[in-house]
Amino acid sequence: MSEIKRQNEKALLKAFQVDLLSIQSILDFKNSLQLWLQDSKMHPSVQLLINNAGILATSSRLTSEGYDQMMATNYVGPFFLTQMLLPLLKNSPFPSRIVNVSSFTHRCVFDVHVDEDTVCGKGFWGLDQYPCSSIYQYSKLCLLLFSYELHRKLSLDKESHKLTVNVADPGVVKTNIMREVPTYLSRVAFTILRLLRLLQLPKDGVNSILDAALASPETSGVYFFGGKGRRVGSSAQSNDAKLAEELWETSSNLFVKSQISVEGGTSS
Ligand SMILES: NC(=O)c1ccc[n+]([C@@H]2O[C@H](COP(=O)([O-])OP(=O)(O)OC[C@H]3O[C@@H](n4cnc5c(N)ncnc54)[C@H](OP(=O)(O)O)[C@@H]3O)[C@@H](O)[C@H]2O)c1
């Protein structure tokens, strides 16, 4: 924020915190944002939403609303946040954009189920070891299916012709994503990736996200990979429109249930 202020002293800035593990926190964030826009006499709209947050959890942990924490952070929370911000995004007088940050690892998922238990993440539990990689890959596939389904819905919705949704996949980046992995393992992994010349620094890893965020207003439903404007195809599963529709329905039902539980103060 201070760097933006340094470059443009007239910029109106405010940071908000949101915890994607909690629907209450997402709702509070949306309300605070609306209030701030109103108090600052700004147009009641949002021009850019980047769903970047994500974790690689190594142990099974539940949110207070009963979701696996990795599914909640990587898919369910971004789905809920996007749904809550859609009216503000659609209200923008300028072309507005959603960018969902996915991962090439979505290609490792083959047998896909989109029932409530699986989307909540609990469907993966019950094995001796927490299936960390499988849940991460599945959460990133869900984010892709959701992105393409939203793109299809928006292109049929005449009122939201100015809102687009794209996917960004940074490739491999040296960040804190492996914070839960034992240090010796993450060091070995990063060393191998560096020797293979696959490892990027965050300043380069961000490029695919910038490509998606700054794409032309006509660009929608596109998968940006690795920067330099590169677009690639995602997996066959991620392009399965029927599967995407089923996932949308499951996620929407979960959204309604979570909203009811928050309104009734009965989160369990
Ligand atoms: N690094 C890679 O090689 C790679 C490759 C492909 C895709 N990605 C994706 O890139 C995205 C960014 O990850 P990264 O690599 O930059 O990892 P990172 O350094 O660990 O950053 C993750 C970010 O997510 C935030 N976050 C975690 N849990 C959250 C929650 N419950 N609510 C709100 N925010 C939360 C973190 O905030 P705090 O720091 O405050 O916890 C942090 O800012 C993720 O979606 C990841 O899956 C990364």
Side-chain angles (χ1 to χ4, degrees), residues 223-245:
Y223 187 99
F224 287 92
F225 175 76
K228 298 185 180 149
R230 191 185 302 134
R231 304 164 177 210
V232 298
S234 52
S235 71
Q237 299 269 19
S238 70
N239 286 292
D240 183 335
K242 190 168 169 290
L243 189 66
E245 220 180 300

PDB file of all heavy atoms in Angstrom, residues 223-245:
ATOM      1  N   TYR A 223      -7.120 -20.122 -20.209  1.00  0.00           N
ATOM      2  CA  TYR A 223      -6.156 -20.633 -19.223  1.00  0.00           C
ATOM      3  C   TYR A 223      -4.780 -20.061 -19.569  1.00  0.00           C
ATOM      4  O   TYR A 223      -4.183 -20.414 -20.594  1.00  0.00           O
ATOM      5  CB  TYR A 223      -6.146 -22.159 -19.322  1.00  0.00           C
ATOM      6  CG  TYR A 223      -5.348 -22.911 -18.287  1.00  0.00           C
ATOM      7  CD1 TYR A 223      -5.976 -23.485 -17.184  1.00  0.00           C
ATOM      8  CD2 TYR A 223      -3.976 -23.115 -18.421  1.00  0.00           C
ATOM      9  CE1 TYR A 223      -5.263 -24.220 -16.242  1.00  0.00           C
ATOM     10  CE2 TYR A 223      -3.253 -23.842 -17.485  1.00  0.00           C
ATOM     11  CZ  TYR A 223      -3.904 -24.391 -16.406  1.00  0.00           C
ATOM     12  OH  TYR A 223      -3.199 -25.132 -15.475  1.00  0.00           O
ATOM     13  N   PHE A 224      -4.292 -19.141 -18.731  1.00  0.00           N
ATOM     14  CA  PHE A 224      -2.973 -18.537 -18.939  1.00  0.00           C
ATOM     15  C   PHE A 224      -1.938 -19.331 -18.157  1.00  0.00           C
ATOM     16  O   PHE A 224      -2.143 -19.598 -16.965  1.00  0.00           O
ATOM     17  CB  PHE A 224      -2.970 -17.077 -18.464  1.00  0.00           C
ATOM     18  CG  PHE A 224      -3.727 -16.153 -19.365  1.00  0.00           C
ATOM     19  CD1 PHE A 224      -5.073 -15.882 -19.155  1.00  0.00           C
ATOM     20  CD2 PHE A 224      -3.096 -15.542 -20.451  1.00  0.00           C
ATOM     21  CE1 PHE A 224      -5.781 -15.025 -19.990  1.00  0.00           C
ATOM     22  CE2 PHE A 224      -3.796 -14.674 -21.294  1.00  0.00           C
ATOM     23  CZ  PHE A 224      -5.141 -14.420 -21.066  1.00  0.00           C
ATOM     24  N   PHE A 225      -0.861 -19.674 -18.806  1.00  0.00           N
ATOM     25  CA  PHE A 225       0.148 -20.498 -18.127  1.00  0.00           C
ATOM     26  C   PHE A 225       1.555 -19.916 -18.238  1.00  0.00           C
ATOM     27  O   PHE A 225       2.046 -19.669 -19.344  1.00  0.00           O
ATOM     28  CB  PHE A 225       0.158 -21.924 -18.707  1.00  0.00           C
ATOM     29  CG  PHE A 225       1.246 -22.782 -18.145  1.00  0.00           C
ATOM     30  CD1 PHE A 225       1.136 -23.308 -16.865  1.00  0.00           C
ATOM     31  CD2 PHE A 225       2.400 -23.049 -18.877  1.00  0.00           C
ATOM     32  CE1 PHE A 225       2.155 -24.082 -16.331  1.00  0.00           C
ATOM     33  CE2 PHE A 225       3.427 -23.816 -18.348  1.00  0.00           C
ATOM     34  CZ  PHE A 225       3.297 -24.343 -17.072  1.00  0.00           C
ATOM     35  N   GLY A 226       2.169 -19.698 -17.086  1.00  0.00           N
ATOM     36  CA  GLY A 226       3.599 -19.416 -17.045  1.00  0.00           C
ATOM     37  C   GLY A 226       4.066 -18.034 -17.492  1.00  0.00           C
ATOM     38  O   GLY A 226       5.260 -17.784 -17.560  1.00  0.00           O
ATOM     39  N   GLY A 227       3.162 -17.126 -17.835  1.00  0.00           N
ATOM     40  CA  GLY A 227       3.587 -15.769 -18.213  1.00  0.00           C
ATOM     41  C   GLY A 227       3.796 -15.615 -19.711  1.00  0.00           C
ATOM     42  O   GLY A 227       3.503 -16.527 -20.496  1.00  0.00           O
ATOM     43  N   LYS A 228       4.288 -14.423 -20.103  1.00  0.00           N
ATOM     44  CA  LYS A 228       4.521 -14.066 -21.512  1.00  0.00           C
ATOM     45  C   LYS A 228       3.257 -14.204 -22.361  1.00  0.00           C
ATOM     46  O   LYS A 228       3.314 -14.513 -23.556  1.00  0.00           O
ATOM     47  CB  LYS A 228       5.642 -14.907 -22.118  1.00  0.00           C
ATOM     48  CG  LYS A 228       6.983 -14.684 -21.423  1.00  0.00           C
ATOM     49  CD  LYS A 228       8.080 -15.432 -22.115  1.00  0.00           C
ATOM     50  CE  LYS A 228       9.391 -15.193 -21.392  1.00  0.00           C
ATOM     51  NZ  LYS A 228      10.325 -16.276 -21.450  1.00  0.00           N
ATOM     52  N   GLY A 229       2.096 -14.067 -21.713  1.00  0.00           N
ATOM     53  CA  GLY A 229       0.829 -14.126 -22.449  1.00  0.00           C
ATOM     54  C   GLY A 229       0.450 -15.518 -22.937  1.00  0.00           C
ATOM     55  O   GLY A 229      -0.507 -15.672 -23.686  1.00  0.00           O
ATOM     56  N   ARG A 230       1.226 -16.537 -22.525  1.00  0.00           N
ATOM     57  CA  ARG A 230       0.993 -17.895 -23.056  1.00  0.00           C
ATOM     58  C   ARG A 230      -0.348 -18.461 -22.592  1.00  0.00           C
ATOM     59  O   ARG A 230      -0.674 -18.447 -21.420  1.00  0.00           O
ATOM     60  CB  ARG A 230       2.128 -18.817 -22.591  1.00  0.00           C
ATOM     61  CG  ARG A 230       2.122 -20.158 -23.312  1.00  0.00           C
ATOM     62  CD  ARG A 230       3.189 -21.078 -22.742  1.00  0.00           C
ATOM     63  NE  ARG A 230       4.519 -20.514 -22.832  1.00  0.00           N
ATOM     64  CZ  ARG A 230       5.400 -20.517 -21.828  1.00  0.00           C
ATOM     65  NH1 ARG A 230       5.081 -21.026 -20.664  1.00  0.00           N
ATOM     66  NH2 ARG A 230       6.596 -19.997 -21.999  1.00  0.00           N
ATOM     67  N   ARG A 231      -1.110 -18.983 -23.556  1.00  0.00           N
ATOM     68  CA  ARG A 231      -2.386 -19.633 -23.259  1.00  0.00           C
ATOM     69  C   ARG A 231      -2.251 -21.100 -23.632  1.00  0.00           C
ATOM     70  O   ARG A 231      -1.721 -21.408 -24.708  1.00  0.00           O
ATOM     71  CB  ARG A 231      -3.515 -19.053 -24.105  1.00  0.00           C
ATOM     72  CG  ARG A 231      -3.669 -17.554 -23.964  1.00  0.00           C
ATOM     73  CD  ARG A 231      -4.523 -17.032 -25.103  1.00  0.00           C
ATOM     74  NE  ARG A 231      -4.740 -15.597 -24.955  1.00  0.00           N
ATOM     75  CZ  ARG A 231      -5.815 -14.963 -25.386  1.00  0.00           C
ATOM     76  NH1 ARG A 231      -6.776 -15.627 -26.010  1.00  0.00           N
ATOM     77  NH2 ARG A 231      -5.967 -13.677 -25.224  1.00  0.00           N
ATOM     78  N   VAL A 232      -2.715 -21.976 -22.775  1.00  0.00           N
ATOM     79  CA  VAL A 232      -2.655 -23.406 -23.104  1.00  0.00           C
ATOM     80  C   VAL A 232      -4.020 -24.019 -22.804  1.00  0.00           C
ATOM     81  O   VAL A 232      -4.868 -23.397 -22.161  1.00  0.00           O
ATOM     82  CB  VAL A 232      -1.557 -24.150 -22.294  1.00  0.00           C
ATOM     83  CG1 VAL A 232      -0.170 -23.618 -22.606  1.00  0.00           C
ATOM     84  CG2 VAL A 232      -1.830 -24.056 -20.800  1.00  0.00           C
ATOM     85  N   GLY A 233      -4.221 -25.243 -23.252  1.00  0.00           N
ATOM     86  CA  GLY A 233      -5.460 -25.951 -22.936  1.00  0.00           C
ATOM     87  C   GLY A 233      -5.317 -26.605 -21.560  1.00  0.00           C
ATOM     88  O   GLY A 233      -4.210 -26.971 -21.157  1.00  0.00           O
ATOM     89  N   SER A 234      -6.413 -26.741 -20.850  1.00  0.00           N
ATOM     90  CA  SER A 234      -6.367 -27.482 -19.587  1.00  0.00           C
ATOM     91  C   SER A 234      -6.872 -28.903 -19.851  1.00  0.00           C
ATOM     92  O   SER A 234      -7.218 -29.242 -20.978  1.00  0.00           O
ATOM     93  CB  SER A 234      -7.192 -26.755 -18.523  1.00  0.00           C
ATOM     94  OG  SER A 234      -8.487 -26.480 -19.004  1.00  0.00           O
ATOM     95  N   SER A 235      -6.943 -29.726 -18.796  1.00  0.00           N
ATOM     96  CA  SER A 235      -7.249 -31.149 -18.989  1.00  0.00           C
ATOM     97  C   SER A 235      -8.646 -31.376 -19.578  1.00  0.00           C
ATOM     98  O   SER A 235      -9.525 -30.503 -19.494  1.00  0.00           O
ATOM     99  CB  SER A 235      -7.155 -31.872 -17.639  1.00  0.00           C
ATOM    100  OG  SER A 235      -8.255 -31.486 -16.831  1.00  0.00           O
ATOM    101  N   ALA A 236      -8.852 -32.560 -20.126  1.00  0.00           N
ATOM    102  CA  ALA A 236     -10.161 -32.915 -20.696  1.00  0.00           C
ATOM    103  C   ALA A 236     -11.241 -32.835 -19.611  1.00  0.00           C
ATOM    104  O   ALA A 236     -12.336 -32.324 -19.848  1.00  0.00           O
ATOM    105  CB  ALA A 236     -10.096 -34.307 -21.296  1.00  0.00           C
ATOM    106  N   GLN A 237     -10.914 -33.318 -18.410  1.00  0.00           N
ATOM    107  CA  GLN A 237     -11.893 -33.288 -17.302  1.00  0.00           C
ATOM    108  C   GLN A 237     -12.350 -31.863 -17.018  1.00  0.00           C
ATOM    109  O   GLN A 237     -13.527 -31.619 -16.765  1.00  0.00           O
ATOM    110  CB  GLN A 237     -11.257 -33.810 -16.004  1.00  0.00           C
ATOM    111  CG  GLN A 237     -10.771 -35.221 -16.061  1.00  0.00           C
ATOM    112  CD  GLN A 237     -11.862 -36.190 -15.628  1.00  0.00           C
ATOM    113  OE1 GLN A 237     -13.036 -35.835 -15.634  1.00  0.00           O
ATOM    114  NE2 GLN A 237     -11.468 -37.392 -15.269  1.00  0.00           N
ATOM    115  N   SER A 238     -11.408 -30.923 -17.050  1.00  0.00           N
ATOM    116  CA  SER A 238     -11.752 -29.540 -16.691  1.00  0.00           C
ATOM    117  C   SER A 238     -12.675 -28.907 -17.727  1.00  0.00           C
ATOM    118  O   SER A 238     -13.332 -27.916 -17.450  1.00  0.00           O
ATOM    119  CB  SER A 238     -10.485 -28.698 -16.525  1.00  0.00           C
ATOM    120  OG  SER A 238      -9.881 -28.492 -17.780  1.00  0.00           O
ATOM    121  N   ASN A 239     -12.707 -29.506 -18.933  1.00  0.00           N
ATOM    122  CA  ASN A 239     -13.563 -28.970 -19.999  1.00  0.00           C
ATOM    123  C   ASN A 239     -14.883 -29.726 -20.123  1.00  0.00           C
ATOM    124  O   ASN A 239     -15.615 -29.513 -21.090  1.00  0.00           O
ATOM    125  CB  ASN A 239     -12.808 -29.016 -21.333  1.00  0.00           C
ATOM    126  CG  ASN A 239     -11.740 -27.936 -21.389  1.00  0.00           C
ATOM    127  OD1 ASN A 239     -12.056 -26.755 -21.435  1.00  0.00           O
ATOM    128  ND2 ASN A 239     -10.478 -28.332 -21.334  1.00  0.00           N
ATOM    129  N   ASP A 240     -15.159 -30.590 -19.156  1.00  0.00           N
ATOM    130  CA  ASP A 240     -16.400 -31.377 -19.179  1.00  0.00           C
ATOM    131  C   ASP A 240     -17.548 -30.484 -18.666  1.00  0.00           C
ATOM    132  O   ASP A 240     -17.690 -30.266 -17.458  1.00  0.00           O
ATOM    133  CB  ASP A 240     -16.203 -32.619 -18.295  1.00  0.00           C
ATOM    134  CG  ASP A 240     -17.417 -33.545 -18.301  1.00  0.00           C
ATOM    135  OD1 ASP A 240     -18.537 -33.063 -18.567  1.00  0.00           O
ATOM    136  OD2 ASP A 240     -17.227 -34.735 -18.027  1.00  0.00           O
ATOM    137  N   ALA A 241     -18.362 -29.973 -19.592  1.00  0.00           N
ATOM    138  CA  ALA A 241     -19.397 -28.997 -19.219  1.00  0.00           C
ATOM    139  C   ALA A 241     -20.463 -29.607 -18.303  1.00  0.00           C
ATOM    140  O   ALA A 241     -21.010 -28.918 -17.436  1.00  0.00           O
ATOM    141  CB  ALA A 241     -20.035 -28.421 -20.472  1.00  0.00           C
ATOM    142  N   LYS A 242     -20.758 -30.903 -18.481  1.00  0.00           N
ATOM    143  CA  LYS A 242     -21.800 -31.532 -17.650  1.00  0.00           C
ATOM    144  C   LYS A 242     -21.293 -31.653 -16.202  1.00  0.00           C
ATOM    145  O   LYS A 242     -22.012 -31.366 -15.243  1.00  0.00           O
ATOM    146  CB  LYS A 242     -22.113 -32.923 -18.226  1.00  0.00           C
ATOM    147  CG  LYS A 242     -23.317 -33.563 -17.603  1.00  0.00           C
ATOM    148  CD  LYS A 242     -23.754 -34.781 -18.408  1.00  0.00           C
ATOM    149  CE  LYS A 242     -24.792 -35.569 -17.634  1.00  0.00           C
ATOM    150  NZ  LYS A 242     -24.246 -36.250 -16.470  1.00  0.00           N
ATOM    151  N   LEU A 243     -20.036 -32.038 -16.090  1.00  0.00           N
ATOM    152  CA  LEU A 243     -19.422 -32.151 -14.762  1.00  0.00           C
ATOM    153  C   LEU A 243     -19.398 -30.776 -14.075  1.00  0.00           C
ATOM    154  O   LEU A 243     -19.696 -30.641 -12.883  1.00  0.00           O
ATOM    155  CB  LEU A 243     -17.997 -32.683 -14.925  1.00  0.00           C
ATOM    156  CG  LEU A 243     -17.241 -33.089 -13.675  1.00  0.00           C
ATOM    157  CD1 LEU A 243     -17.902 -34.303 -13.027  1.00  0.00           C
ATOM    158  CD2 LEU A 243     -15.790 -33.430 -14.025  1.00  0.00           C
ATOM    159  N   ALA A 244     -19.073 -29.756 -14.865  1.00  0.00           N
ATOM    160  CA  ALA A 244     -18.999 -28.389 -14.324  1.00  0.00           C
ATOM    161  C   ALA A 244     -20.372 -27.932 -13.827  1.00  0.00           C
ATOM    162  O   ALA A 244     -20.483 -27.287 -12.776  1.00  0.00           O
ATOM    163  CB  ALA A 244     -18.474 -27.440 -15.398  1.00  0.00           C
ATOM    164  N   GLU A 245     -21.401 -28.314 -14.559  1.00  0.00           N
ATOM    165  CA  GLU A 245     -22.759 -27.932 -14.168  1.00  0.00           C
ATOM    166  C   GLU A 245     -23.132 -28.622 -12.846  1.00  0.00           C
ATOM    167  O   GLU A 245     -23.740 -28.007 -11.961  1.00  0.00           O
ATOM    168  CB  GLU A 245     -23.708 -28.383 -15.278  1.00  0.00           C
ATOM    169  CG  GLU A 245     -24.798 -27.401 -15.589  1.00  0.00           C
ATOM    170  CD  GLU A 245     -25.686 -27.937 -16.699  1.00  0.00           C
ATOM    171  OE1 GLU A 245     -25.161 -28.186 -17.809  1.00  0.00           O
ATOM    172  OE2 GLU A 245     -26.897 -28.116 -16.434  1.00  0.00           O
TER     173      GLU A 245
END
